[in-house]
Amino acid sequence: MARNTRIVVVGGGYVGMYTALRLQKKLRRGEAEVTVIDPQSHMTYQPFLPEASAGSIEPRHVVVPLRKVLRKCHHLTGRVTRINHATREVTAELAAGNLTTVGYDVLVVAPGSVARTLPVPGLAEVGIAFKTVGEAIYLRNHVLSRLDAASTTIDPALRKRFLTFLVVGGGYAGIEALAELQDMARYATRYYENITPDDLRWVLVEAANRIMPEVGPKMGRYTVERLLDAGIEVNLDTRVKSMVGGHVVLDDGNEFDADTIVWTAGVKPNPMLDHTDLPRDARGRIECTAELQVVGMPDVFSAGDCASVPDLSKDDPDAKTSPSAQHAVRQAKVLADNIVAHLRRRQLTKYRHSYAGSVASLGLYKGVAEIYGIKLRGIIAWFMHRTYHVSRMPTWNRRVRILVDWTGALFLGREVVALGQINDPRAEFHRVANPSSPPAPPAQQQPGPEQAGAPAGAGQGEEAVTPGLRRGA
């Protein structure tokens, strides 16, 4: 009896999970076996991370357990360390710590992206990214714990540091994280006797001359105005020179201390791709055809953040699709169908999708949207943001849970409890069990990154908003 075709999917993010989900529906019994390899046992729906960090959604509801939805697929919890297409082998370090090699006949490479860092002194020590559910939970607890700390100190300089929050990067991730966390912190101040919303200082720094270029310059200006109305300082055409020890130095000469620094200044392809023999472009992305096959390798497919895919919706022959969740989900559908067609020796379909638009939340009841050229703002755009993303959330199980979360928050208000113990759960036991020994070192601030995910890009644009615009500096 002939062996089943072995399909290996590297990455369990948007592309990996949606591809495997579609394959298990499309493949005939015994036609192929699908193995998904990812360091996490779940897929994270990143557009809901800001709301999870702000307490509007339970964090467990923005992740999809892979084993639960991919019941006809094999799943390996591990991090892929090498791909050798010459021998058709994938090497992975499994959760147990051992290395394993998995052979394949057809390969899907979709490890996603990681945070793009810059050589800024102090960034590695004090910065926190915003790409994983762990980071979202940490930020929520950290921001609320800073309010607790500020309310218990009489040192004005320390209090000011605790209540200063910096977000670097004006793309979707940065703006939505900033708006939601600021909204949550303002709401929480009603329960503190000695902290008012005016005591909080929120600062946005963006290297480009505009924010969120996806919604166009006019909507970008509107977004800046809403951020300023909320008391957020907006610094455009500005870069961070240093953040050693939380002392932030900007290239315009402005300096201040911040105890919370969120880094959302773009993404880059997963560095795992450096250990493969796949063709890559100047930006490190895998070179693909419009059929989502890797150039020169018809048995290897790729899509999402790590792939350089021709954008057939544009006249420019060199145009590539942007690294967005919108493209990733749609590419996964075409990719899965093309794998089935490839196995059955049928003609493959080219990926073509015109950009439908974009939506973004600016906090509770505030948002911006541009859908098929129609610009929306305020509560209507906010409602469109929630409607669109809940409709794209995988499985009805998660959609219903999120709707219940929203309904509860609408009538009962936000939860503003800091569960900081989860950052170092052994600290109290260590103190009790070893009363004479020094306390254990604090837990590492930044949770480990997930391998796969959707982009959280910094804003890069052509048309300008007034440079250096800020309020309350």
Side-chain angles (χ1 to χ4, degrees), residues 95-324:
N98 57 303
L99 290 176
T100 188
T101 300
V102 182
Y104 65 84
D105 300 302
V106 175
L107 178 67
V108 177
V109 186
S113 59
V114 298
R116 178 174 63 91
T117 58
L118 299 174
V120 178
L123 172 59
E125 291 73 28
V126 301
I128 177 74
F130 197 73
K131 282 185 62 64
T132 71
V133 69
E135 289 164 344
I137 295 171
Y138 171 82
L139 272 174
R140 168 181 169 76
N141 292 326
H142 179 73
V143 169
L144 292 174
S145 71
R146 296 308 85 193
L147 300 185
D148 291 333
S151 69
T152 56
T153 182
I154 59 174
D155 183 340
L158 189 58
R159 174 186 168 92
K160 186 175 181 180
R161 175 191 177 100
F162 286 149
L163 298 180
T164 299
F165 308 92
L166 170 65
V167 175
V168 182
Y172 271 112
I175 297 301
E176 291 192 333
L178 171 63
E180 291 286 351
L181 288 170
Q182 193 255 9
D183 231 14
M184 177 195 70
R186 287 177 63 90
Y187 179 86
T189 58
R190 67 183 65 187
Y191 302 109
Y192 290 84
E193 297 177 356
N194 57 350
I195 299 179
T196 68
D198 292 337
D199 294 327
L200 307 179
R201 183 185 182 188
W202 290 84
V203 184
L204 172 67
V205 173
E206 167 56 47
N209 56 16
R210 57 182 283 198
I211 63 174
M212 295 202 310
E214 298 88 347
V215 298
K218 185 175 180 179
M219 298 300 284
R221 287 192 291 270
Y222 171 82
T223 302
V224 170
E225 292 170 0
R226 297 291 74 75
L227 295 178
L228 294 174
D229 289 342
I232 298 172
E233 301 174 28
V234 180
N235 299 266
L236 303 179
D237 270 335
T238 307
R239 292 169 175 79
V240 178
K241 294 177 61 177
S242 173
M243 55 179 71
V244 176
H247 182 70
V248 180
V249 180
L250 305 182
D251 64 358
D252 62 359
N254 192 17
E255 298 184 26
F256 55 89
D257 291 327
D259 212 43
T260 305
I261 299 175
V262 185
W263 183 267
T264 63
V267 296
K268 64 180 180 180
N270 196 297
M272 180 276 295
L273 298 177
D274 295 338
H275 305 287
T276 71
D277 54 357
L278 307 178
R280 300 164 67 192
D281 65 8
R283 297 174 59 183
R285 299 178 301 176
I286 301 172
E287 294 184 338
C288 296
T289 66
E291 292 81 7
L292 304 178
Q293 291 174 302
V294 175
V295 173
M297 299 179 177
D299 295 326
V300 183
F301 295 77
S302 186
D305 295 359
C306 69
S308 177
V309 179
D311 190 344
L312 301 184
S313 67
K314 298 180 180 179
D315 296 331
D316 184 0
D318 296 325
K320 305 295 182 181
T321 57
S322 61
S324 68

Side-chain angles (χ1 to χ4, degrees), residues 307-385:
S308 177
V309 179
D311 190 344
L312 301 184
S313 67
K314 298 180 180 179
D315 296 331
D316 184 0
D318 296 325
K320 305 295 182 181
T321 57
S322 61
S324 68
Q326 185 179 142
H327 279 302
V329 173
R330 288 169 170 80
Q331 287 173 351
K333 179 180 178 181
V334 175
L335 193 157
D337 290 346
N338 279 349
I339 289 178
V340 174
H342 176 72
L343 296 180
R344 299 172 186 173
R345 301 185 184 280
R346 298 176 180 171
Q347 185 174 358
L348 274 60
T349 303
K350 293 183 178 182
Y351 174 75
R352 179 191 295 270
H353 171 68
S354 299
Y355 190 64
S358 53
V359 291
S361 170
L362 301 179
L364 200 59
Y365 308 128
K366 301 183 292 290
V368 292
E370 185 170 358
I371 304 172
Y372 294 111
I374 301 174
K375 297 178 174 61
L376 303 171
R377 59 182 65 176
I379 191 171
I380 297 177
W382 172 82
F383 180 78
M384 289 294 296
H385 169 268

